[in-house]
Amino acid sequence: MKPMTEQEIRAAFVNCTKGEAKRLSVPRDLAARPWDDLDYLGWRDPQAPDRGYLVTVLDGRPTAIALRSPGPASWQARRSMCSMCLTAHTGGVSLMVAPKAGKARQQGNSVGAYICSDLACSLYVRGKKDAGAGSRPQESLTLEEKIERTVANVAAFLAKVTA
């Protein structure tokens, strides 16, 4: 993924108003992010831990979505698998819910997926971050194929948000 500026990120949001995009918390360390290892940029809002954000490039254009996840619950201590990167975590996967874009958002419609709580799927797939023993299933896929699968899963989720 190519590096993005704060302005590019804010302009890319499809499921919140321009005012909401202007007020949300963008990471201050954008220059230090491992852009070459990212399929998408994901972060949690330090001022609102129930909020997360995801930015990727679809059809050559940056696309960003706002996400919400419920607070910690007892069920989160169970082992769960991320639907984006297929990494299993104990307590490290959250149901992330995104309001749909456009008119569907105004009607209160949303879609959800189980995603790594820290939104670091790209790093788990590449082995740059470890979720512990047994977190990655044994597969015969190459690293490129795993990356392609993760990118396709993210794109499919974004398609549901923008549909």
Side-chain angles (χ1 to χ4, degrees), residues 55-116:
V55 185
T56 192
V57 176
L58 288 178
D59 300 324
R61 293 185 15 233
T63 304
I65 58 171
L67 301 160
R68 289 202 177 241
S69 68
S74 60
W75 65 266
Q76 287 182 317
R78 292 189 203 151
R79 193 159 186 81
S80 303
M81 184 176 281
C82 173
S83 61
M84 300 296 152
C85 66
L86 304 184
T87 300
H89 299 266
T90 300
V93 174
S94 298
L95 174 62
M96 301 274 186
V97 178
K100 291 191 83 162
K103 224 176 193 62
R105 177 183 186 268
Q106 294 169 350
Q107 296 170 345
N109 295 331
S110 60
V111 294
Y114 288 95
I115 305 175
C116 294

Side-chain angles (χ1 to χ4, degrees), residues 8-28:
E8 288 174 310
I9 291 169
R10 290 187 190 282
F13 278 90
V14 296
N15 69 339
C16 61
T17 66
K18 288 184 186 199
E20 290 168 333
K22 187 177 180 180
R23 290 186 302 273
L24 63 85
S25 178
V26 174
R28 298 188 187 278

